[in-house]
C-alpha cells in the first residue's frame, strides 16, 4: 500500500457562523467538528496527519492534542495557500495525500477509504470526492467534458448561470499524489472573484498537464455537508444524531423516538437499555445493560451500572451503580457516588456525596458533602446543613441509620451506626451508635384553650 498522508484545513475564522468560537470548534453532537474529522481519519492508516491552523490556533491545537501535527497559516489566503503550509512537512514524500476540510464532520471513514481505493485503482494524480445534491448553492461545481471526464472545479461565486445549474459538487475532500500536489500548488493564482488561492484549481492545473484526474461520487450526499453557518450546523447535528442513535439501536439499545433523543458521540450504552424521548446523554457517559433512561433525563459524564432507572432527572459527573432507581425530578450533582440498589426519589438533590448500597432518600431531601453508609433511610424533607455561609462541612451517616422526616443534620456531624434520629430534629452533636436522638421542642397540649381565647364562634 502506498504511504498515506492527510491535511486537514482548519485555519479559517468562519465568518458566516457569526460567533466568538472558531468555526471548526463548534460542536456537533458534543464533539468539535474538526475532532470528528480527525477521529474519522485516524481510522485510515495514515502516516502523518497535518492540521492547518490559523484562527484560534492554540484552541484547535489544545483540542486535537498529539493526534495531529500542525502547520500555521498566518494569513488566510485560501484553501490552496492553506495546504501549502504543510509543504515543509510533506513535500518530496512519496504517497497519497487526502485533504479534508475541518468543517465537514459527517464524511465517514469508509467513504474516505473508498476514495483512496478509487484513486489508487485508477492510478490518478487527483481524485475529488463529489456528490449530487438538490441545492448546490455555495459549493464548488464539478465541470465535466462532453465525454464525462472531470475538467475542473468552479467556485459558486465564480460560476456562470449555466455552471450554477450543475448539481454535482465538490465536497472539499480530495486525494492527491503527494508530489504532484505540491508541484501544482506552486502554480495556483488568486485571480478570481474572492481573490483567494483555491485548492480546487489544482484539478485544472493537473488536467492541463495531461495527468489522470478523476471523481469519486458518493451517493450518501448527507455526508458531504459543509458547515458554514448555524443553519447547516443544526442540519449536521440532526444527521449525526440519527446516525449515532441508529448505531446504538443496531447494538441492541431501544430508542423510542430517535428524532427526540440526543446522545453525544462518545457515549456508550449496553444492550436492552431503553431510552425514552427528550433524553440527552452527554460527554463521556457509559450506561450499562437493561437500564431505563428518561423520558426527559439529562445525563452528562456519568458512569451508570445495569438495570438502573433514571426518570425525568439530571445527573452530572457522577457514578451511579446497578439497580438504582432515580427520579422523577431528582438532581445528582457532580462528584457523587451512588452505589447499588439505592433509591433517590422525587425532588431529592445529591451533591458531592457517597450514597451507600441499599440506602434510600425517597422524597424532598438535600444531601450535600456527605458520606452515607449502606441501608440508610433518609426520611422525607431531611437535609444536610453543609454550609455556614463561608465553608462547607461533612456529614457522616453510618450504616443502618434511620433519619426521621424533616430533620436538619448540621455539619460537621456524624450519625453513628444503627442510630435513629427522631422526625423534626435539628442535630448539632454527634449521635452515638444505636442511640435515638431527639432534638426538637416538646409538644404541649393546652386543653380547652381554643374556647378560652374565644377563637371559635
Ligand atoms: C470549499 C471549496 C468548495 C467546496 C466546499 C465544500 C475552495 C476554494 N472551495 O468552499 O469547492 O464545495 O469547500 O464544503 O476550497 N481554510 C483554511 N485557510 C484558508 C481558507 C479556508 O484553513 O485560507 C479552511 C476553513 O477553515 C475550512 C475549509 O478550509 O475548514 C474550507 O474553507 P471554506 O471557506 O469553508 O470553503 P467553502 O467556501 O466552503
Ligand atoms: Ca466550508
Amino acid at each position: 500500500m502506498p504511504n498515506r498522508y492527510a491535511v486537514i484545513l482548519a485555519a479559517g475564522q468562519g465568518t458566516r457562523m457569526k460567533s466568538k468560537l472558531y468555526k471548526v470548534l463548534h460542536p456537533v453532537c458534543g464533539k468539535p467538528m474538526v475532532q470528528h474529522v480527525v477521529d474519522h481519519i485516524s481510522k485510515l492508516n495514515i502516516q502523518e496527519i497535518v492540521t492547518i491552523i490559523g484562527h484560534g490556533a492554540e484552541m484547535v491545537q489544545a483540542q486535537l492534542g498529539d493526534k495531529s501535527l500542525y502547520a500555521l497559516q498566518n494569513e488566510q489566503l485560501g484553501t490552496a495557500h492553506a495546504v501549502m503550509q504543510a509543504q515543509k512537512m510533506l513535500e518530496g514524500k512519496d504517497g497519497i495525500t487526502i485533504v479534508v476540510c475541518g468543517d465537514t464532520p459527517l464524511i465517514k471513514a469508509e467513504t474516505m477509504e473508498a476514495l483512496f481505493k478509487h484513486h489508487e485503482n485508477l492510478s490518478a494524480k487527483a481524485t475529488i470526492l463529489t456528490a449530487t445534491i438538490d441545492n448546490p448553492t455555495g459549493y464548488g461545481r464539478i465541470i465535466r467534458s462532453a465525454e464525462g471526464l472531470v475538467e475542473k472545479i468552479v467556485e459558486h461565486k465564480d460560476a456562470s448561470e449555466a455552471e450554477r445549474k450543475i448539481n454535482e459538487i465538490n465536497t472539499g475532500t480530495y486525494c492527491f499524489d503527494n508530489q504532484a500536489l505540491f508541484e501544482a500548488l506552486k502554480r495556483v493564482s488568486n485571480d478570481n472573484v474572492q481573490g483567494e488561492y483555491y485548492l480546487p484549481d489544482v484539478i485544472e492545473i493537473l488536467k492541463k498537464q495531461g495527468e489522470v484526474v478523476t471523481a469519486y461520487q458518493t451517493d450518501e450526499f448527507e455526508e458531504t455537508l459543509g458547515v458554514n453557518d448555524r443553519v447547516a450546523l443544526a442540519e449536521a447535528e440532526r444527521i449525526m444524531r440519527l446516525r449515532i442513535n441508529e448505531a446504538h439501536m443496531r447494538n441492541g439499545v431501544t430508542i423510542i423516538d430517535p428524532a427526540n433523543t440526543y446522545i453525544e458521540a462518545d457515549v456508550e450504552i449496553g444492550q436492552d437499555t431503553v431510552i425514552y424521548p427528550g433524553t440527552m446523554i452527554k460527554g463521556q457517559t457509559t450506561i450499562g445493560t437493561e437500564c431505563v433512561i428518561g423520558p426527559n433525563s439529562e445525563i452528562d459524564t456519568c458512569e451508570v451500572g445495569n438495570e438502573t432507572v433514571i426518570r425525568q432527572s439530571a445527573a452530572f459527573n457522577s457514578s451511579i451503580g446497578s439497580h438504582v432507581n432515580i427520579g422523577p425530578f431528582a438532581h445528582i450533582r457532580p462528584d457523587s457516588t451512588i452505589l447499588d440498589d439505592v433509591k433517590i426519589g422525587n425532588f431529592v438533590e445529591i451533591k458531592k456525596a457517597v450514597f451507600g448500597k441499599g440506602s434510600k432518600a425517597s422524597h424532598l431531601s438535600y444531601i450535600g458533602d456527605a458520606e452515607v453508609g449502606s441501608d440508610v433511610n433518609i426520611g422525607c424533607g431531611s437535609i444536610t446543613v453543609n454550609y455556614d455561609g463561608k465553608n462547607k462541612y461533612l456529614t457522616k451517616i453510618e450504616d443502618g441509620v434511620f433519619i426521621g422526616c424533616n430533620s436538619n443534620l448540621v455539619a460537621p456531624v456524624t450519625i453513628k451506626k444503627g442510630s435513629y434520629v427522631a422526625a423534626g430534629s435539628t442535630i448539632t452533636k454527634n449521635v452515638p451508635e444505636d442511640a435515638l436522638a431527639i432534638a426538637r421542642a416538646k409538644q404541649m397540649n393546652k386543653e380547652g384553650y381554643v374556647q378560652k381565647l374565644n377563637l371559635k364562634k
Side-chain angles (χ1 to χ4, degrees), residues 73-135:
Q73 185 192 23
N74 279 318
E75 253 185 310
Q76 283 65 52
L77 302 179
T79 46
H81 179 258
V83 177
M84 270 301 249
Q85 311 311 307
Q87 188 179 11
K88 275 201 201 106
M89 291 157 134
L90 298 179
E91 198 189 26
K93 292 194 174 174
D94 243 358
I96 303 173
T97 297
I98 188 169
V99 177
V100 189
C101 294
D103 65 352
T104 52
L106 297 166
I107 297 179
K108 292 181 187 161
E110 301 94 84
T111 304
M112 294 194 245
E113 183 62 42
L115 177 69
F116 267 113
K117 285 276 146 61
H118 184 92
H119 181 86
E120 285 169 29
N121 290 343
L122 295 178
S123 305
K125 288 282 189 253
T127 304
I128 316 155
L129 180 67
T130 73
T132 300
I133 60 176
D134 290 340
N135 180 10

Side-chain angles (χ1 to χ4, degrees), residues 16 23 79 101-104 138-139 171-172 225-229:
R16 289 164 282 181
K23 177 164 78 172
T79 46
C101 294
D103 65 352
T104 52
Y139 291 98
T171 63
L225 184 76
V227 176
N228 294 328
D229 59 23

Side-chain angles (χ1 to χ4, degrees), residues 114-419:
L115 177 69
F116 267 113
K117 285 276 146 61
H118 184 92
H119 181 86
E120 285 169 29
N121 290 343
L122 295 178
S123 305
K125 288 282 189 253
T127 304
I128 316 155
L129 180 67
T130 73
T132 300
I133 60 176
D134 290 340
N135 180 10
T137 305
Y139 291 98
R141 307 299 206 285
I142 307 298
I143 311 296
R144 291 178 183 262
S145 67
E147 300 80 49
L149 297 174
V150 175
E151 296 275 297
K152 59 177 177 174
I153 299 171
V154 176
E155 286 307 296
H156 180 89
K157 286 185 180 155
D158 299 285
S160 65
E161 274 308 307
E163 286 166 337
R164 285 186 183 182
K165 292 211 172 77
I166 296 172
N167 286 80
E168 189 184 8
I169 59 117
N170 167 27
T171 63
T173 299
Y174 325 70
C175 274
F176 296 102
D177 172 90
N178 187 61
Q179 308 218 21
L181 169 65
F182 285 99
E183 274 311 307
L185 279 173
K186 293 173 189 155
R187 306 178 49 197
V188 172
S189 84
N190 63 352
D191 181 18
N192 52 53
V193 172
Q194 302 189 78
E196 285 183 7
Y197 296 90
Y198 292 162
L199 178 60
D201 286 359
V202 164
I203 299 299
E204 193 180 8
I205 292 168
L206 291 172
K207 183 74 191 182
K208 283 193 170 151
Q209 288 172 358
E211 304 289 5
V212 179
V213 172
T214 67
Y216 173 75
Q217 193 164 3
T218 164
D219 43 14
E220 296 203 35
F221 70 91
E222 287 195 325
E223 271 188 62
T224 65
L225 184 76
V227 176
N228 294 328
D229 59 23
R230 311 260 185 167
V231 176
L233 183 67
E235 181 63 3
E237 178 91 20
R238 185 187 67 79
I239 296 165
M240 183 75 80
R241 173 161 72 238
L242 293 179
R243 204 191 267 182
I244 290 170
N245 288 351
E246 192 178 317
H248 286 295
M249 291 187 279
R250 296 209 182 281
N251 258 340
V253 177
T254 294
I255 298 179
I256 303 295
D257 182 1
N260 286 299
T261 303
Y262 310 83
I263 302 174
E264 289 188 354
D266 293 332
V267 170
E268 290 173 27
I269 307 175
Q271 266 182 21
D272 290 315
T273 284
V274 179
I275 319 266
Y276 284 91
T279 293
M280 308 189 87
I281 309 179
K282 311 202 260 188
Q284 305 283 330
T285 293
T286 52
I287 292 176
T289 58
E290 295 178 72
C291 291
V292 176
I293 310 290
N296 304 321
S297 289
E298 181 181 3
I299 302 175
D300 192 345
T301 317
C302 288
E303 197 185 311
V304 180
N306 302 322
E307 295 174 53
T308 283
V309 176
I310 304 179
R311 229 176 242 131
Q312 323 230 50
S313 292
F316 307 97
N317 297 77
S318 289
S319 151
I320 298 167
S322 293
H323 313 113
V324 171
N325 201 322
I326 294 178
F329 315 115
H331 186 183
I332 313 295
R333 290 172 52 200
D335 300 322
S336 296
T337 303
I338 314 283
L339 298 179
D340 295 348
D341 306 313
V342 160
K343 179 165 187 237
I344 307 288
N346 41 204
F347 308 108
V348 173
E349 175 179 338
I350 308 281
K351 188 216 75 172
K352 205 176 180 184
V354 179
F355 219 82
K357 187 168 157 37
S359 290
K360 294 188 176 82
S362 298
H363 345 256
L364 300 154
S365 282
Y366 169 63
I367 307 295
D369 301 300
E371 289 171 21
V372 178
S374 55
D375 298 313
V376 167
N377 188 78
I378 295 181
C380 177
S382 291
I383 62 162
T384 54
V385 183
N386 62 326
Y387 185 46
D388 63 5
K390 237 180 173 180
N391 296 305
K392 304 268 166 79
Y393 301 96
L394 184 71
T395 301
K396 286 190 187 174
I397 305 175
E398 295 187 355
D399 295 349
V401 163
F402 183 97
I403 308 286
C405 291
N406 231 36
S407 297
N408 301 311
L409 308 176
V410 182
V413 71
T414 299
I415 319 295
K416 291 261 183 192
K417 229 167 127 182
S419 58

Side-chain angles (χ1 to χ4, degrees), residues 4-30:
R4 288 177 172 185
Y5 311 101
V7 176
I8 298 170
L9 306 184
Q13 159 80 43
T15 322
R16 289 164 282 181
M17 294 297 280
K18 305 215 165 102
S19 176
K20 264 200 248 170
L21 186 65
Y22 305 106
K23 177 164 78 172
V24 297
L25 291 176
H26 274 266
V28 170
C29 292

